Amino acid sequence: MKRRLRRQVKNSGSPKWMVTYSDMVTLILVFFILLFSMSQIDQHRFQVISESFQNRMIFDFFPSSVPMEYPSDSSGTGGNDGGHGDEDGLPVANNETDDSTENEEEEEGGTAQRSSLEDNVQSFLNENNLNGIISTNRTEEGVSLVLQDSILFETGEAEILKSAEGFLNKVGEFLQGIPNRVRVEGHTDSRPIYNYRYPSNWELSGARASSVIRYLIDNFAIDSQRFTSVGYAETRPVASNTSEENMQKNRRVEIVILETKEGAE
């Protein structure tokens, strides 16, 4: 009998290495999916990024950085001027340009106003030869006239000296000619005070600020509603309280002339 020849079966599938490779790719994919599912989104940063996109013209027609699923017809453009389209397809003016223009005009007006106020104060000091007696500070709120306490008061007292009335009279004449609101601040050094009239520096600084306001109101035609009195005690020093010279700088009264915009409120 003839021996039957066994028919050799050929493997028609993928090579063995392909199976291993596909398993590895699948595992890597699952691994990254798990990482993504366990990650947390920083809501604050996402909100900041979303708002930054909303401020761009390209997203002018959508309230969110993610487009609407079914945007309405009113979100279409209305022309080359960047305006929105209304329901009839007519262009609507874009108010953002007007708002930005108004803001720029307000900033320019505020800068000019601050410059004018500062110039007026400096002219006042020059005309009355007060530069060596009264110093000025430029602040965000306005211009501050700084008077040392040795000019105005005795040590530990809040009654205005006779010798200080001449300086305050010139300040009163200047304030009488402008409409701005005025905040008078009293400041002391860090040395404590304790007596029956002023139990602490808080009472002393407040009393000194009030004395200056009372003198200006009594002697000049200035509306009392323009004034605000503040006592800061030793909480706002301009120098460290480590020497007598520095302490003298901290003992002061500041007459802060606020901007006209605040004065009108």
Side-chain angles (χ1 to χ4, degrees):
M1 294 179 66
K2 293 182 179 180
R3 296 181 60 185
R4 288 186 178 182
L5 297 176
R6 292 184 178 179
R7 183 177 296 177
Q8 295 181 350
V9 180
K10 295 182 179 180
N11 294 328
S12 59
S14 301
K16 295 181 179 180
W17 65 268
M18 183 65 73
V19 177
T20 304
Y21 178 78
S22 61
D23 290 341
M24 181 184 67
V25 172
T26 304
L27 290 173
I28 293 175
L29 177 61
V30 172
F31 174 74
F32 282 107
I33 291 175
L34 288 174
L35 287 179
F36 180 79
S37 64
M38 292 185 295
S39 64
Q40 295 181 353
I41 299 176
D42 190 335
Q43 296 294 337
H44 177 70
R45 295 183 61 184
F46 180 82
Q47 184 67 23
V48 171
I49 294 173
S50 175
E51 292 176 355
S52 67
F53 280 125
Q54 290 180 21
N55 293 331
R56 300 294 187 268
M57 287 297 293
I58 190 173
F59 296 104
D60 192 37
F61 313 115
F62 297 103
S64 172
S65 60
V66 180
M68 297 183 194
E69 185 177 359
Y70 300 106
S72 61
D73 294 337
S74 61
S75 63
T77 58
N80 294 331
D81 59 353
H84 299 285
D86 60 7
E87 293 180 357
D88 297 329
L90 298 177
V92 178
N94 187 359
N95 294 329
E96 291 184 0
T97 304
D98 297 337
D99 293 342
S100 61
T101 303
E102 292 178 359
N103 292 336
E104 291 177 0
E105 292 177 353
E106 289 180 0
E107 291 178 359
E108 292 176 359
T111 302
Q113 187 179 20
R114 288 191 294 269
S115 177
S116 176
L117 176 60
E118 194 169 6
D119 292 341
N120 291 340
V121 171
Q122 192 58 51
S123 298
F124 155 71
L125 295 178
N126 293 335
E127 292 173 1
N128 294 277
N129 298 320
L130 296 175
N131 285 300
I133 300 172
I134 301 176
S135 59
T136 61
N137 287 330
R138 175 75 238 178
T139 67
E140 295 181 356
E141 297 176 289
V143 179
S144 175
L145 304 178
V146 183
L147 294 86
Q148 300 302 321
D149 77 320
S150 58
I151 299 175
L152 300 174
F153 311 103
E154 292 284 355
T155 302
E157 297 294 334
E159 295 182 5
I160 295 176
L161 298 172
K162 288 291 184 182
S163 58
E165 293 181 356
F167 306 124
L168 290 180
N169 288 340
K170 294 179 180 179
V171 173
E173 292 174 0
F174 176 73
L175 296 179
Q176 194 172 236
I178 60 176
N180 304 59
R181 293 190 61 184
V182 180
R183 184 176 68 242
V184 181
E185 304 174 352
H187 301 267
T188 67
D189 58 30
S190 60
R191 289 180 296 190
I193 183 174
Y194 180 78
N195 55 48
Y196 72 98
R197 296 184 64 184
Y198 310 114
S200 70
N201 285 325
W202 291 104
E203 287 79 11
L204 177 61
S205 61
R208 287 180 169 180
S210 299
S211 294
V212 172
I213 293 176
R214 186 167 58 253
Y215 181 88
L216 295 174
I217 292 175
D218 292 344
N219 292 277
F220 298 91
I222 304 177
D223 188 358
S224 60
Q225 294 184 356
R226 290 173 53 192
F227 287 96
T228 303
S229 174
V230 183
Y232 286 114
E234 70 274 10
T235 60
R236 296 193 177 185
V238 295
S240 59
N241 290 285
T242 55
S243 65
E244 181 58 36
E245 182 180 359
N246 287 348
M247 289 183 179
Q248 186 175 356
K249 293 178 181 179
N250 292 330
R251 298 191 301 268
R252 67 198 188 278
V253 171
E254 295 192 18
I255 302 175
V256 184
I257 305 173
L258 305 177
E259 301 298 342
T260 302
K261 183 177 181 180
E262 294 190 23
E265 293 178 354

